[in-house]
Short mmCIF file of all heavy atoms in Angstrom, two decimals:
data_model
loop_
_atom_site.label_atom_id
_atom_site.label_comp_id
_atom_site.label_asym_id
_atom_site.label_seq_id
_atom_site.Cartn_x
_atom_site.Cartn_y
_atom_site.Cartn_z
N MET A 61 -29.51 -25.12 -7.64
CA MET A 61 -28.25 -24.48 -7.82
C MET A 61 -27.98 -23.42 -6.75
O MET A 61 -28.86 -22.66 -6.40
CB MET A 61 -28.13 -23.81 -9.18
CG MET A 61 -27.13 -24.46 -10.07
SD MET A 61 -27.09 -23.74 -11.70
CE MET A 61 -25.32 -23.64 -11.91
N THR A 62 -26.82 -23.43 -6.27
CA THR A 62 -26.54 -22.45 -5.20
C THR A 62 -25.91 -21.20 -5.84
O THR A 62 -25.09 -21.28 -6.73
CB THR A 62 -25.61 -23.02 -4.13
OG1 THR A 62 -24.56 -23.72 -4.81
CG2 THR A 62 -26.34 -23.94 -3.22
N ASP A 63 -26.31 -20.12 -5.30
CA ASP A 63 -25.75 -18.86 -5.80
C ASP A 63 -24.40 -18.61 -5.11
O ASP A 63 -24.36 -18.29 -3.92
CB ASP A 63 -26.73 -17.66 -5.44
CG ASP A 63 -27.43 -17.24 -6.68
OD1 ASP A 63 -26.75 -17.17 -7.78
OD2 ASP A 63 -28.63 -16.92 -6.63
N LYS A 64 -23.43 -18.80 -5.84
CA LYS A 64 -22.08 -18.54 -5.31
C LYS A 64 -21.68 -17.14 -5.57
O LYS A 64 -21.47 -16.72 -6.73
CB LYS A 64 -21.09 -19.48 -5.88
CG LYS A 64 -20.96 -20.79 -5.11
CD LYS A 64 -19.68 -21.53 -5.52
CE LYS A 64 -19.53 -22.83 -4.75
NZ LYS A 64 -18.37 -23.59 -5.18
N ILE A 65 -21.60 -16.40 -4.54
CA ILE A 65 -21.16 -14.99 -4.69
C ILE A 65 -19.69 -14.91 -4.30
O ILE A 65 -19.29 -15.18 -3.17
CB ILE A 65 -21.98 -14.02 -3.81
CG1 ILE A 65 -23.41 -14.08 -4.29
CG2 ILE A 65 -21.42 -12.60 -3.95
CD1 ILE A 65 -24.40 -13.30 -3.39
N LEU A 66 -18.92 -14.59 -5.28
CA LEU A 66 -17.50 -14.43 -5.03
C LEU A 66 -17.24 -13.06 -4.42
O LEU A 66 -17.80 -12.08 -4.86
CB LEU A 66 -16.71 -14.57 -6.35
CG LEU A 66 -15.25 -14.72 -6.25
CD1 LEU A 66 -14.86 -16.08 -5.67
CD2 LEU A 66 -14.60 -14.57 -7.66
N SER A 67 -16.41 -13.07 -3.45
CA SER A 67 -16.08 -11.80 -2.82
C SER A 67 -14.63 -11.65 -2.62
O SER A 67 -13.88 -12.66 -2.47
CB SER A 67 -16.81 -11.63 -1.51
OG SER A 67 -16.47 -12.68 -0.63
N VAL A 68 -14.18 -10.44 -2.70
CA VAL A 68 -12.77 -10.15 -2.47
C VAL A 68 -12.64 -9.08 -1.43
O VAL A 68 -13.61 -8.49 -0.99
CB VAL A 68 -12.12 -9.64 -3.77
CG1 VAL A 68 -12.07 -10.77 -4.80
CG2 VAL A 68 -12.83 -8.43 -4.30
N ASN A 69 -11.46 -8.91 -0.97
CA ASN A 69 -11.19 -7.86 0.01
C ASN A 69 -10.62 -6.65 -0.70
O ASN A 69 -9.72 -6.73 -1.47
CB ASN A 69 -10.25 -8.34 1.09
CG ASN A 69 -10.88 -9.33 2.03
OD1 ASN A 69 -10.90 -10.56 1.76
ND2 ASN A 69 -11.47 -8.88 3.09
N CYS A 70 -11.21 -5.50 -0.34
CA CYS A 70 -10.73 -4.25 -0.88
C CYS A 70 -9.27 -4.10 -0.49
O CYS A 70 -8.93 -4.19 0.66
CB CYS A 70 -11.54 -3.12 -0.30
SG CYS A 70 -10.87 -1.50 -0.69
N PRO A 71 -8.39 -3.90 -1.48
CA PRO A 71 -6.95 -3.77 -1.18
C PRO A 71 -6.63 -2.58 -0.30
O PRO A 71 -5.59 -2.51 0.34
CB PRO A 71 -6.33 -3.58 -2.56
CG PRO A 71 -7.33 -4.06 -3.55
CD PRO A 71 -8.67 -3.79 -2.91
N THR A 72 -7.53 -1.64 -0.26
CA THR A 72 -7.28 -0.40 0.49
C THR A 72 -7.76 -0.53 1.94
O THR A 72 -6.97 -0.30 2.88
CB THR A 72 -7.93 0.78 -0.18
OG1 THR A 72 -7.50 0.88 -1.50
CG2 THR A 72 -7.62 2.08 0.56
N CYS A 73 -9.00 -0.95 2.11
CA CYS A 73 -9.55 -0.93 3.48
C CYS A 73 -9.93 -2.34 3.94
O CYS A 73 -10.46 -2.46 5.05
CB CYS A 73 -10.71 0.06 3.60
SG CYS A 73 -12.13 -0.46 2.68
N LYS A 74 -9.72 -3.29 3.12
CA LYS A 74 -9.98 -4.70 3.48
C LYS A 74 -11.46 -5.03 3.70
O LYS A 74 -11.80 -6.04 4.21
CB LYS A 74 -9.21 -5.09 4.74
CG LYS A 74 -7.72 -4.72 4.73
CD LYS A 74 -6.99 -5.40 3.56
CE LYS A 74 -5.54 -4.92 3.50
NZ LYS A 74 -4.92 -5.21 2.25
N THR A 75 -12.30 -4.16 3.19
CA THR A 75 -13.73 -4.44 3.27
C THR A 75 -14.07 -5.54 2.28
O THR A 75 -13.49 -5.60 1.19
CB THR A 75 -14.52 -3.18 2.94
OG1 THR A 75 -14.25 -2.20 3.92
CG2 THR A 75 -16.02 -3.46 2.93
N VAL A 76 -14.95 -6.41 2.61
CA VAL A 76 -15.35 -7.46 1.74
C VAL A 76 -16.19 -6.86 0.59
O VAL A 76 -17.18 -6.17 0.81
CB VAL A 76 -16.17 -8.55 2.47
CG1 VAL A 76 -16.63 -9.63 1.51
CG2 VAL A 76 -15.32 -9.18 3.56
N VAL A 77 -15.73 -7.10 -0.60
CA VAL A 77 -16.39 -6.52 -1.79
C VAL A 77 -17.01 -7.70 -2.60
O VAL A 77 -16.32 -8.67 -2.89
CB VAL A 77 -15.43 -5.70 -2.66
CG1 VAL A 77 -16.12 -5.12 -3.87
CG2 VAL A 77 -14.73 -4.68 -1.81
N GLU A 78 -18.24 -7.57 -2.92
CA GLU A 78 -18.88 -8.60 -3.71
C GLU A 78 -18.39 -8.48 -5.17
O GLU A 78 -18.45 -7.39 -5.75
CB GLU A 78 -20.42 -8.31 -3.66
CG GLU A 78 -21.20 -9.47 -4.22
CD GLU A 78 -22.67 -9.18 -4.15
OE1 GLU A 78 -23.17 -8.87 -3.03
OE2 GLU A 78 -23.37 -9.25 -5.20
N TRP A 79 -17.93 -9.58 -5.68
CA TRP A 79 -17.40 -9.59 -7.05
C TRP A 79 -18.57 -9.74 -8.00
O TRP A 79 -18.85 -10.84 -8.51
CB TRP A 79 -16.38 -10.69 -7.20
CG TRP A 79 -15.57 -10.53 -8.45
CD1 TRP A 79 -15.89 -11.02 -9.67
CD2 TRP A 79 -14.34 -9.80 -8.62
NE1 TRP A 79 -14.92 -10.64 -10.59
CE2 TRP A 79 -13.97 -9.90 -9.97
CE3 TRP A 79 -13.51 -9.10 -7.71
CZ2 TRP A 79 -12.78 -9.27 -10.47
CZ3 TRP A 79 -12.39 -8.49 -8.25
CH2 TRP A 79 -12.01 -8.60 -9.58
N SER A 80 -19.20 -8.61 -8.25
CA SER A 80 -20.36 -8.64 -9.19
C SER A 80 -20.57 -7.27 -9.78
O SER A 80 -19.81 -6.36 -9.46
CB SER A 80 -21.64 -9.10 -8.44
OG SER A 80 -22.01 -8.08 -7.56
N ASP A 81 -21.58 -7.19 -10.57
CA ASP A 81 -21.84 -5.83 -11.20
C ASP A 81 -22.26 -4.80 -10.11
O ASP A 81 -22.29 -3.65 -10.37
CB ASP A 81 -22.98 -6.00 -12.21
CG ASP A 81 -22.44 -6.73 -13.47
OD1 ASP A 81 -21.22 -6.73 -13.65
OD2 ASP A 81 -23.26 -7.28 -14.22
N ALA A 82 -22.57 -5.33 -8.96
CA ALA A 82 -22.97 -4.43 -7.90
C ALA A 82 -21.78 -3.63 -7.42
O ALA A 82 -21.91 -2.63 -6.73
CB ALA A 82 -23.58 -5.20 -6.76
N SER A 83 -20.60 -4.15 -7.70
CA SER A 83 -19.36 -3.43 -7.28
C SER A 83 -18.53 -3.01 -8.46
O SER A 83 -17.67 -3.72 -8.91
CB SER A 83 -18.52 -4.35 -6.39
OG SER A 83 -19.36 -4.99 -5.42
N PRO A 84 -18.90 -1.90 -9.00
CA PRO A 84 -18.20 -1.44 -10.21
C PRO A 84 -16.72 -1.07 -9.99
O PRO A 84 -15.97 -1.00 -10.95
CB PRO A 84 -18.99 -0.19 -10.62
CG PRO A 84 -19.70 0.31 -9.39
CD PRO A 84 -19.90 -0.92 -8.54
N PHE A 85 -16.32 -0.94 -8.72
CA PHE A 85 -14.95 -0.57 -8.45
C PHE A 85 -14.10 -1.71 -7.96
O PHE A 85 -13.03 -1.53 -7.43
CB PHE A 85 -14.92 0.59 -7.43
CG PHE A 85 -15.68 1.79 -7.93
CD1 PHE A 85 -16.88 2.13 -7.35
CD2 PHE A 85 -15.18 2.57 -8.95
CE1 PHE A 85 -17.63 3.21 -7.79
CE2 PHE A 85 -15.84 3.66 -9.41
CZ PHE A 85 -17.11 4.00 -8.83
N ARG A 86 -14.66 -2.90 -8.10
CA ARG A 86 -13.97 -4.07 -7.60
C ARG A 86 -12.58 -4.13 -8.27
O ARG A 86 -12.41 -3.75 -9.43
CB ARG A 86 -14.76 -5.36 -7.91
CG ARG A 86 -15.04 -5.62 -9.33
CD ARG A 86 -16.05 -6.78 -9.48
NE ARG A 86 -16.31 -7.09 -10.86
CZ ARG A 86 -17.22 -6.50 -11.64
NH1 ARG A 86 -18.01 -5.57 -11.14
NH2 ARG A 86 -17.40 -6.89 -12.89
N PRO A 87 -11.61 -4.59 -7.60
CA PRO A 87 -11.65 -5.18 -6.24
C PRO A 87 -11.79 -4.15 -5.14
O PRO A 87 -11.68 -4.56 -3.97
CB PRO A 87 -10.32 -5.96 -6.16
CG PRO A 87 -9.35 -5.13 -6.99
CD PRO A 87 -10.19 -4.56 -8.11
N PHE A 88 -11.94 -2.95 -5.45
CA PHE A 88 -12.11 -1.94 -4.42
C PHE A 88 -13.54 -1.80 -4.05
O PHE A 88 -14.43 -2.12 -4.84
CB PHE A 88 -11.59 -0.60 -4.95
CG PHE A 88 -10.13 -0.63 -5.36
CD1 PHE A 88 -9.79 -0.85 -6.66
CD2 PHE A 88 -9.11 -0.51 -4.41
CE1 PHE A 88 -8.46 -0.92 -7.04
CE2 PHE A 88 -7.78 -0.55 -4.78
CZ PHE A 88 -7.45 -0.79 -6.11
N CYS A 89 -13.80 -1.34 -2.85
CA CYS A 89 -15.13 -1.27 -2.32
C CYS A 89 -15.77 0.02 -2.84
O CYS A 89 -17.02 0.14 -2.92
CB CYS A 89 -15.17 -1.30 -0.84
SG CYS A 89 -14.46 0.12 -0.04
N SER A 90 -14.98 1.00 -3.21
CA SER A 90 -15.54 2.27 -3.67
C SER A 90 -14.55 3.00 -4.54
O SER A 90 -13.35 2.62 -4.61
CB SER A 90 -15.88 3.13 -2.44
OG SER A 90 -14.69 3.47 -1.74
N LYS A 91 -15.01 4.00 -5.18
CA LYS A 91 -14.14 4.79 -6.01
C LYS A 91 -13.05 5.44 -5.18
O LYS A 91 -11.93 5.62 -5.62
CB LYS A 91 -15.00 5.86 -6.72
CG LYS A 91 -14.21 6.53 -7.84
CD LYS A 91 -15.06 7.58 -8.51
CE LYS A 91 -14.30 8.25 -9.70
NZ LYS A 91 -15.11 9.24 -10.41
N ARG A 92 -13.44 5.83 -3.97
CA ARG A 92 -12.46 6.46 -3.07
C ARG A 92 -11.28 5.58 -2.81
O ARG A 92 -10.10 5.96 -2.89
CB ARG A 92 -13.18 6.83 -1.75
CG ARG A 92 -12.39 7.83 -0.95
CD ARG A 92 -13.27 8.43 0.15
NE ARG A 92 -12.41 8.81 1.26
CZ ARG A 92 -12.34 8.19 2.37
NH1 ARG A 92 -13.00 7.05 2.56
NH2 ARG A 92 -11.54 8.59 3.32
N CYS A 93 -11.55 4.31 -2.48
CA CYS A 93 -10.50 3.40 -2.19
C CYS A 93 -9.66 3.13 -3.45
O CYS A 93 -8.46 2.96 -3.38
CB CYS A 93 -11.08 2.07 -1.63
SG CYS A 93 -11.48 2.15 0.12
N GLN A 94 -10.32 3.10 -4.58
CA GLN A 94 -9.60 2.90 -5.82
C GLN A 94 -8.62 4.04 -6.01
O GLN A 94 -7.44 3.83 -6.43
CB GLN A 94 -10.61 2.85 -6.98
CG GLN A 94 -10.00 2.44 -8.27
CD GLN A 94 -11.00 2.47 -9.39
OE1 GLN A 94 -11.75 3.45 -9.54
NE2 GLN A 94 -11.03 1.43 -10.21
N GLN A 95 -9.05 5.25 -5.76
CA GLN A 95 -8.17 6.42 -5.97
C GLN A 95 -7.09 6.50 -4.92
O GLN A 95 -5.97 6.89 -5.23
CB GLN A 95 -9.06 7.67 -5.94
CG GLN A 95 -9.86 7.80 -7.22
CD GLN A 95 -10.74 9.05 -7.20
OE1 GLN A 95 -11.12 9.51 -6.15
NE2 GLN A 95 -11.10 9.49 -8.37
N ILE A 96 -7.40 6.09 -3.72
CA ILE A 96 -6.40 6.07 -2.67
C ILE A 96 -5.27 5.10 -3.08
O ILE A 96 -4.09 5.40 -3.00
CB ILE A 96 -7.01 5.66 -1.32
CG1 ILE A 96 -7.86 6.79 -0.75
CG2 ILE A 96 -5.89 5.28 -0.32
CD1 ILE A 96 -8.71 6.37 0.43
N ASP A 97 -5.68 3.93 -3.55
CA ASP A 97 -4.69 2.95 -3.94
C ASP A 97 -3.84 3.47 -5.12
O ASP A 97 -2.64 3.38 -5.13
CB ASP A 97 -5.36 1.67 -4.31
CG ASP A 97 -4.37 0.54 -4.55
OD1 ASP A 97 -3.88 0.02 -3.51
OD2 ASP A 97 -4.01 0.24 -5.71
N PHE A 98 -4.51 4.09 -6.04
CA PHE A 98 -3.81 4.64 -7.18
C PHE A 98 -2.87 5.74 -6.75
O PHE A 98 -1.73 5.83 -7.21
CB PHE A 98 -4.83 5.18 -8.22
CG PHE A 98 -4.14 5.65 -9.46
CD1 PHE A 98 -3.54 4.82 -10.36
CD2 PHE A 98 -4.11 7.05 -9.74
CE1 PHE A 98 -2.95 5.27 -11.47
CE2 PHE A 98 -3.45 7.52 -10.89
CZ PHE A 98 -2.90 6.60 -11.79
N GLY A 99 -3.33 6.54 -5.78
CA GLY A 99 -2.44 7.65 -5.29
C GLY A 99 -1.18 7.08 -4.64
O GLY A 99 -0.13 7.57 -4.86
N ASP A 100 -1.38 6.01 -3.90
CA ASP A 100 -0.18 5.39 -3.26
C ASP A 100 0.76 4.94 -4.32
O ASP A 100 1.95 5.12 -4.19
CB ASP A 100 -0.66 4.16 -2.43
CG ASP A 100 -1.25 4.61 -1.07
OD1 ASP A 100 -1.12 5.78 -0.74
OD2 ASP A 100 -1.76 3.72 -0.39
N TRP A 101 0.18 4.33 -5.33
CA TRP A 101 1.02 3.78 -6.39
C TRP A 101 1.81 4.91 -7.05
O TRP A 101 3.02 4.78 -7.31
CB TRP A 101 0.11 3.10 -7.40
CG TRP A 101 0.85 2.45 -8.51
CD1 TRP A 101 1.43 1.21 -8.47
CD2 TRP A 101 1.03 2.94 -9.84
NE1 TRP A 101 2.00 0.97 -9.70
CE2 TRP A 101 1.78 1.97 -10.55
CE3 TRP A 101 0.67 4.12 -10.49
CZ2 TRP A 101 2.16 2.20 -11.85
CZ3 TRP A 101 1.04 4.32 -11.81
CH2 TRP A 101 1.76 3.37 -12.48
N VAL A 102 1.14 6.00 -7.33
CA VAL A 102 1.82 7.15 -7.94
C VAL A 102 2.88 7.70 -7.06
O VAL A 102 3.99 7.97 -7.47
CB VAL A 102 0.75 8.24 -8.32
CG1 VAL A 102 1.47 9.53 -8.74
CG2 VAL A 102 -0.13 7.77 -9.45
N LEU A 103 2.55 7.82 -5.78
CA LEU A 103 3.52 8.31 -4.82
C LEU A 103 4.78 7.47 -4.76
O LEU A 103 5.93 7.95 -4.76
CB LEU A 103 2.90 8.42 -3.44
CG LEU A 103 2.09 9.70 -3.19
CD1 LEU A 103 1.33 9.59 -1.87
CD2 LEU A 103 2.96 10.95 -3.16
N GLU A 104 4.53 6.20 -4.74
CA GLU A 104 5.65 5.31 -4.64
C GLU A 104 6.55 5.35 -5.92
O GLU A 104 7.75 5.26 -5.86
CB GLU A 104 5.19 3.82 -4.47
CG GLU A 104 4.93 3.53 -3.01
CD GLU A 104 4.36 2.15 -2.81
OE1 GLU A 104 4.85 1.21 -3.44
OE2 GLU A 104 3.42 1.99 -2.01
N LYS A 105 5.88 5.61 -7.02
CA LYS A 105 6.62 5.72 -8.26
C LYS A 105 7.46 6.98 -8.27
O LYS A 105 8.50 6.97 -8.91
CB LYS A 105 5.62 5.76 -9.45
CG LYS A 105 5.06 4.38 -9.80
CD LYS A 105 6.05 3.60 -10.67
CE LYS A 105 5.51 2.16 -10.83
NZ LYS A 105 6.49 1.31 -11.55
N HIS A 106 6.98 7.98 -7.59
CA HIS A 106 7.69 9.24 -7.65
C HIS A 106 8.72 9.42 -6.56
O HIS A 106 9.51 10.37 -6.56
CB HIS A 106 6.66 10.43 -7.59
CG HIS A 106 6.04 10.67 -8.92
ND1 HIS A 106 6.59 11.42 -9.87
CD2 HIS A 106 4.89 10.18 -9.46
CE1 HIS A 106 5.81 11.42 -10.99
NE2 HIS A 106 4.76 10.69 -10.71
N SER A 107 8.66 8.52 -5.60
CA SER A 107 9.59 8.67 -4.47
C SER A 107 10.45 7.39 -4.41
O SER A 107 10.42 6.70 -3.38
CB SER A 107 8.84 8.90 -3.18
OG SER A 107 8.00 7.85 -2.88
N ILE A 108 11.10 7.09 -5.45
CA ILE A 108 12.00 5.94 -5.43
C ILE A 108 13.21 6.29 -4.63
O ILE A 108 13.94 7.26 -4.97
CB ILE A 108 12.36 5.53 -6.86
CG1 ILE A 108 11.09 5.19 -7.65
CG2 ILE A 108 13.35 4.37 -6.86
CD1 ILE A 108 11.32 5.09 -9.15
N PRO A 109 13.40 5.61 -3.57
CA PRO A 109 14.59 5.92 -2.77
C PRO A 109 15.87 5.59 -3.46
O PRO A 109 16.21 4.45 -3.70
CB PRO A 109 14.38 5.09 -1.51
CG PRO A 109 13.47 4.00 -1.93
CD PRO A 109 12.65 4.49 -3.11
N GLY A 110 16.58 6.64 -3.88
CA GLY A 110 17.84 6.38 -4.54
C GLY A 110 18.91 6.14 -3.55
O GLY A 110 19.48 5.06 -3.46
N GLU A 111 19.21 7.18 -2.81
CA GLU A 111 20.24 7.02 -1.79
C GLU A 111 19.60 7.23 -0.41
O GLU A 111 19.12 8.31 -0.13
CB GLU A 111 21.35 8.10 -1.98
CG GLU A 111 22.24 7.72 -3.14
CD GLU A 111 23.26 8.84 -3.37
OE1 GLU A 111 23.88 9.26 -2.41
OE2 GLU A 111 23.35 9.27 -4.54
N PRO A 112 19.60 6.18 0.34
CA PRO A 112 19.05 6.28 1.70
C PRO A 112 19.90 7.27 2.51
O PRO A 112 21.13 7.10 2.56
CB PRO A 112 19.07 4.89 2.24
CG PRO A 112 20.04 4.16 1.38
CD PRO A 112 20.08 4.88 0.05
N VAL A 113 19.23 8.24 3.10
CA VAL A 113 19.98 9.23 3.89
C VAL A 113 20.17 8.73 5.28
O VAL A 113 19.23 8.68 6.09
CB VAL A 113 19.22 10.54 3.89
CG1 VAL A 113 20.09 11.60 4.64
CG2 VAL A 113 18.99 11.05 2.46
N PHE A 114 21.36 8.40 5.57
CA PHE A 114 21.67 7.92 6.91
C PHE A 114 22.33 9.04 7.70
O PHE A 114 23.30 9.64 7.24
CB PHE A 114 22.59 6.71 6.87
CG PHE A 114 21.92 5.46 6.52
CD1 PHE A 114 22.14 4.83 5.32
CD2 PHE A 114 20.97 4.88 7.40
CE1 PHE A 114 21.45 3.65 4.96
CE2 PHE A 114 20.32 3.71 7.03
CZ PHE A 114 20.59 3.12 5.84
N ASP A 115 21.70 9.35 8.76
CA ASP A 115 22.26 10.46 9.59
C ASP A 115 23.13 9.91 10.68
O ASP A 115 23.45 10.57 11.64
CB ASP A 115 21.12 11.26 10.13
CG ASP A 115 21.47 12.74 10.23
OD1 ASP A 115 22.25 13.19 9.41
OD2 ASP A 115 20.98 13.43 11.13
N LEU A 116 23.51 8.69 10.47
CA LEU A 116 24.31 8.04 11.52
C LEU A 116 25.76 8.10 11.17
O LEU A 116 26.17 7.67 10.10
CB LEU A 116 23.88 6.56 11.70
CG LEU A 116 22.47 6.32 12.21
CD1 LEU A 116 22.10 4.88 11.98
CD2 LEU A 116 22.37 6.65 13.68
N GLU A 117 26.53 8.67 12.00
CA GLU A 117 27.96 8.70 11.78
C GLU A 117 28.56 7.59 12.59
O GLU A 117 28.12 7.23 13.65
CB GLU A 117 28.52 10.03 12.25
CG GLU A 117 28.36 11.09 11.22
CD GLU A 117 28.90 12.45 11.73
OE1 GLU A 117 30.06 12.46 12.16
OE2 GLU A 117 28.15 13.40 11.68
N ASP A 118 29.58 7.04 12.00
CA ASP A 118 30.20 5.91 12.69
C ASP A 118 31.07 6.41 13.82
O ASP A 118 32.29 6.46 13.77
CB ASP A 118 31.05 5.13 11.65
CG ASP A 118 30.91 3.66 11.90
OD1 ASP A 118 29.80 3.12 11.69
OD2 ASP A 118 31.94 3.02 12.32
N GLU A 119 30.37 6.79 14.85
CA GLU A 119 31.06 7.38 16.01
C GLU A 119 31.53 6.24 16.90
O GLU A 119 30.78 5.49 17.43
CB GLU A 119 30.19 8.33 16.78
CG GLU A 119 30.13 9.66 16.04
CD GLU A 119 29.31 10.64 16.87
OE1 GLU A 119 28.06 10.58 16.74
OE2 GLU A 119 29.88 11.44 17.62
N ASP A 120 32.77 6.20 17.04
CA ASP A 120 33.36 5.17 17.88
C ASP A 120 34.17 5.76 19.00
O ASP A 120 35.32 5.45 19.26
CB ASP A 120 34.23 4.23 17.02
CG ASP A 120 34.11 2.80 17.49
OD1 ASP A 120 33.06 2.46 18.09
OD2 ASP A 120 35.07 2.04 17.38
N HIS A 121 33.55 6.80 19.61
CA HIS A 121 34.30 7.49 20.67
C HIS A 121 34.06 6.87 22.03
O HIS A 121 33.69 7.52 23.00
CB HIS A 121 33.80 9.00 20.70
CG HIS A 121 34.02 9.65 19.43
ND1 HIS A 121 35.29 9.92 18.96
CD2 HIS A 121 33.16 10.13 18.51
CE1 HIS A 121 35.14 10.55 17.75
NE2 HIS A 121 33.91 10.66 17.48
N SER A 122 34.31 5.63 22.05
CA SER A 122 34.15 4.93 23.34
C SER A 122 35.31 5.27 24.27
O SER A 122 36.47 5.07 23.94
CB SER A 122 34.07 3.44 23.11
OG SER A 122 34.93 3.02 22.10
N LYS A 123 35.03 5.86 25.39
CA LYS A 123 36.04 6.24 26.31
C LYS A 123 36.39 5.19 27.33
O LYS A 123 36.46 5.41 28.50
CB LYS A 123 35.64 7.52 27.01
CG LYS A 123 35.61 8.74 26.12
CD LYS A 123 35.06 9.93 26.83
CE LYS A 123 34.94 11.11 25.91
NZ LYS A 123 34.19 12.20 26.55
N SER A 124 36.46 4.01 26.81
CA SER A 124 36.76 2.90 27.74
C SER A 124 38.26 2.57 27.69
O SER A 124 38.76 1.99 26.76
CB SER A 124 35.94 1.65 27.34
OG SER A 124 36.12 1.36 25.96
N SER A 125 38.88 3.06 28.71
CA SER A 125 40.32 2.83 28.75
C SER A 125 40.57 1.44 29.32
O SER A 125 40.23 1.08 30.40
CB SER A 125 41.00 3.84 29.68
OG SER A 125 40.23 4.04 30.81
N HIS A 126 41.15 0.69 28.51
CA HIS A 126 41.34 -0.68 28.91
C HIS A 126 42.71 -0.87 29.54
O HIS A 126 43.71 -0.67 28.96
CB HIS A 126 41.18 -1.60 27.68
CG HIS A 126 40.89 -3.02 28.09
ND1 HIS A 126 39.82 -3.34 28.88
CD2 HIS A 126 41.46 -4.14 27.74
CE1 HIS A 126 39.77 -4.66 29.00
NE2 HIS A 126 40.79 -5.16 28.35
ZN1 ZN B 104 -12.22 0.03 0.46
#
């Protein structure tokens, strides 16, 4: 029988993580990456773009005299 070790890529840093008891933070490679990912998630939840601030004015001051 062949030992099939399933591995995944850490969503944070893309490191190959062995899917086993050796990787308690799977699919993350480490607790740090797990927290980073969670932090991103929290940040995204708190910064839902309601109204995109466009600083562009529709300036049509083209001085092209035709
Ligand atoms: Zn990682």
Side-chain angles (χ1 to χ4, degrees):
M61 247 178 135
T62 45
D63 255 320
K64 269 196 180 176
I65 297 172
L66 192 69
S67 60
V68 293
N69 287 89
C70 171
T72 304
C73 69
K74 310 299 176 196
T75 298
V76 177
V77 182
E78 192 181 306
W79 194 270
S80 71
D81 288 339
S83 313
F85 302 107
R86 61 189 183 273
F88 302 94
C89 68
S90 66
K91 192 179 182 179
R92 197 166 152 256
C93 279
Q94 189 184 44
Q95 287 178 333
I96 288 170
D97 189 78
F98 184 70
D100 280 351
W101 183 81
V102 169
L103 277 172
E104 275 177 43
K105 283 277 173 188
H106 281 275
S107 62
I108 298 165
E111 285 176 50
V113 182
F114 283 110
D115 215 30
L116 294 166
E117 280 177 50
D118 219 66
E119 281 182 278
D120 216 29
H121 301 294
S122 39
K123 288 174 184 172
S124 52
S125 44
H126 202 55

